[in-house]
Amino acid sequence: MVKTVLYDGLNISLKKGTGVATYVRSLIKTAQSLGHKTGVVHAIQGAPPKTPLLREVVLFDDTSVQPLGPVATGRRWLRRRIAAPFGIKPVRIPLSGTVITMSQETNLGDADIFYADNDIFQLARSHFKLYGNRLQLDIKDKPDLWHCTYPMPLSVRDTLNIYTIHDLVPLRLPYLTEDNKRYHYNMLRHLVKTADHIVTVSESSRRDIINILKVDEKRVTNTYQAAHVPLKLRNKPDDVVADEISGIFNLDWKKYFLFFGAFEPKKNLFRLVEAYLAAKVDLPLIIVGAPGWKGDKAQQLVDDERFRFYMHAEDRIVPGRRIHRFDFVSYPLLVSLIRGARSVLFPSLYEGFGLPILESMQLGTPVLTSTEGSVPEVAGEAALMIDPYDTDALRKAIKALASDDDLCDHLSKVGPKQAERFSPERYQQAIGALYDNLLDGR
């Protein structure tokens, strides 16, 4: 029987995307492949227009969609905050086809139904701080399941409510995130008590949730994740990819290292740069990522006189510089960069899953990564793994990858085999079993 599953749009509306955004898109595709109808609830600035056509326009307007921005002010905001104990009613956004969505739908989720209301996600946080419980959404056409893909004190009335907790980094490594730790801990404790079920993406995270948040193990399911790199990008001929990275980036096939991800403390970028420079290898290091929390410190590295020669943010690679940074590249170009790299360097201090590792292995690119968090579950024995706190070990690993063709060939062969353990087919089975068990037991 076809069911309706509703998701939050907190992360998928972010312009530059996150790992959680990829997770949500994957969930939507998986639910649809299982035959379910899907919907997404978005936050917008201001009240939804009364005119259906204008609602559609506002939904796809980059200046209106608001994942989690500044708190709205004024009398209307005050009235909403006071009235929040009684819940809010997101408005359904009809899609007439007037707005051409070919280049935008991935930013909002390729769902069947859309809902929106003013500052929902900020309102949910403020609501929890004021009242200590979840903000209720009153959806006219009741979904069968509300799957909140990120810890957020939001619930849908008269519906099964489940929540994905990707990791407990804010509690285990509090110095690596910007979260208000008291709020985050209290909100998580409330969610695990009131949710119908908790979902996570690794056994490492599952153990943390059970042990730290004191949750019955029967109420926590690990589904892992899957790499959904489109076949047309995976099967693009090597010579075509080589031409792309040469023509666009002035890079040679398998003659550079690559890091991609946000500039944030847990990504361990400072040790990576330090180890790379100490390794004195001939291959340039390409960094794709924009500054996140504490990204200003990473930016200081860019501006530091000692490293100005080495790191540069620009649209094209200039010979002579060893480290180059790009704030953002399109997903197809990122896939080409991954495929053309000698190795992807991802020595993260902690990951709930580590999707870049899986994507790189699926594409047959050697991976250097860490021994911490859930990474060993994902990488298995198909990556070169080091203690991410040991800069010298990282230096030696980079030197080995730069010079040892046999090592790189081995990792290129075993990586795709390891990635098969997290195939879209297996992921579909895991999500299907989760949803069926919950909906059948309702």
Side-chain angles (χ1 to χ4, degrees):
M1 182 181 295
V2 176
K3 302 291 185 180
T4 300
V5 185
L6 199 59
Y7 302 95
D8 66 284
L10 174 64
N11 283 275
I12 54 176
S13 55
L14 295 173
K15 294 180 181 179
K16 293 189 177 181
T18 64
V20 180
T22 302
Y23 171 76
V24 182
R25 295 188 189 104
S26 177
L27 266 178
I28 292 173
K29 290 179 181 178
T30 300
Q32 290 173 337
S33 67
L34 289 166
H36 298 313
K37 193 173 184 180
T38 59
V40 177
V41 178
H42 284 288
I44 59 173
Q45 294 184 28
K50 294 182 179 180
T51 306
L53 176 58
L54 190 53
R55 289 181 192 168
E56 180 182 2
V57 171
V58 167
L59 179 66
F60 289 96
D61 181 4
D62 277 349
T63 64
S64 293
V65 176
Q66 182 153 351
L68 196 58
V71 177
T73 58
R75 293 182 179 178
R76 187 175 186 275
W77 166 255
L78 183 61
R79 287 199 300 270
R80 281 168 57 81
R81 193 168 76 168
I82 293 173
F86 306 103
I88 60 174
K89 298 181 179 181
V91 176
R92 183 164 178 172
I93 310 293
L95 299 186
S96 66
T98 299
V99 175
I100 300 172
T101 61
M102 291 169 60
S103 64
Q104 290 295 321
E105 56 191 358
T106 55
N107 291 339
L108 296 175
D110 192 14
D112 304 301
I113 312 167
F114 292 96
Y115 294 89
D117 208 335
N118 181 32
D119 294 328
I120 290 177
F121 306 125
Q122 277 288 19
L123 185 64
R125 293 188 174 190
S126 297
H127 174 90
F128 184 80
K129 291 176 182 178
L130 282 170
Y131 304 108
N133 54 36
R134 296 172 294 175
L135 174 66
Q136 287 198 326
L137 303 181
D138 191 353
I139 306 294
K140 183 178 180 181
D141 299 318
K142 291 284 186 294
D144 299 285
L145 183 67
W146 163 248
H147 189 162
C148 200
T149 62
Y150 190 80
M152 183 67 61
L154 271 174
S155 64
V156 175
R157 185 176 283 123
D158 301 327
T159 296
L160 279 171
N161 289 260
I162 69 175
Y163 299 81
T164 296
I165 301 176
H166 297 265
D167 56 58
L168 294 186
V169 171
L171 304 183
R172 299 215 61 191
L173 295 91
Y175 42 84
L176 293 186
T177 71
E178 64 178 331
D179 308 74
N180 179 319
K181 305 307 183 298
R182 295 185 183 187
Y183 161 82
H184 195 74
Y185 174 76
N186 291 330
M187 184 267 293
L188 287 177
R189 288 285 294 156
H190 177 73
L191 285 186
V192 298
K193 287 180 179 179
T194 56
D196 290 295
H197 204 74
I198 298 297
V199 184
T200 192
V201 293
S202 69
E203 283 304 310
S204 173
S205 292
R206 183 173 183 269
R207 288 193 300 270
D208 282 351
I209 292 167
I210 292 169
N211 295 331
I212 297 174
L213 298 180
K214 309 302 180 186
V215 186
D216 185 334
E217 61 180 21
K218 295 179 182 179
R219 299 186 60 245
V220 187
T221 297
N222 165 31
T223 62
Y224 284 115
Q225 287 186 243
H228 287 274
V229 180
L231 277 174
K232 66 178 181 179
L233 298 180
R234 280 188 275 162
N235 294 338
K236 188 183 295 185
D238 289 350
D239 60 334
V240 175
V241 176
D243 285 345
E244 283 183 353
I245 61 176
S246 175
I248 297 173
F249 300 103
N250 197 26
L251 290 168
D252 294 327
W253 177 260
K254 299 300 178 183
K255 296 295 184 181
Y256 60 91
F257 291 115
L258 175 66
F259 166 88
F260 61 99
F263 277 32
E264 55 186 23
K266 77 172 185 176
K267 300 302 182 184
N268 207 21
L269 194 57
F270 291 98
R271 288 188 183 89
L272 172 59
V273 170
E274 187 178 323
Y276 168 79
L277 293 174
K280 295 183 179 180
V281 294
D282 293 331
L283 307 183
L285 170 61
I286 310 304
I287 295 176
V288 177
W293 179 68
K294 286 191 176 180
D296 55 334
K297 292 187 177 181
Q299 194 67 43
Q300 289 174 14
L301 181 63
V302 177
D303 297 333
D304 193 304
E305 290 291 343
R306 294 171 297 170
F307 300 106
R308 185 167 291 176
F309 175 77
Y310 301 115
M311 182 176 280
H312 195 71
E314 55 188 19
D315 294 329
R316 186 174 174 83
I317 301 300
V318 176
R321 294 197 179 98
R322 295 173 60 192
I323 305 179
H324 308 263
R325 179 176 64 83
F326 296 88
D327 280 349
F328 177 74
V329 299
S330 67
Y331 182 70
L333 281 180
L334 177 60
V335 172
S336 291
L337 279 172
I338 296 170
R339 287 185 57 186
R342 176 78 172 183
S343 174
V344 166
L345 310 181
F346 197 77
S348 179
L349 298 178
Y350 205 93
E351 293 291 325
F353 182 78
L355 193 58
I357 301 166
L358 180 58
E359 291 172 328
S360 302
M361 291 194 304
Q362 187 182 73
L363 293 169
T365 299
V367 175
L368 184 158
T369 190
S370 81
T371 55
E372 297 300 303
S374 66
V375 170
E377 296 177 55
V378 179
E381 298 181 358
L384 185 57
M385 302 179 69
I386 48 89
D387 177 352
Y389 296 94
D390 188 339
T391 304
D392 191 55
L394 181 52
R395 177 189 66 83
K396 291 176 180 177
I398 292 172
K399 285 181 72 70
L401 287 166
S403 60
D404 193 336
D405 292 339
D406 290 339
L407 171 62
C408 289
D409 288 343
H410 171 71
L411 295 176
S412 294
K413 292 176 182 177
V414 297
K417 295 179 182 178
Q418 173 68 12
E420 289 177 0
R421 299 181 60 188
F422 304 93
S423 67
E425 293 75 22
R426 290 192 177 188
Y427 186 63
Q428 179 175 315
Q429 292 174 0
I431 295 298
L434 170 70
Y435 285 0
D436 287 347
N437 289 338
L438 291 170
L439 292 167
D440 290 345
R442 188 176 181 181

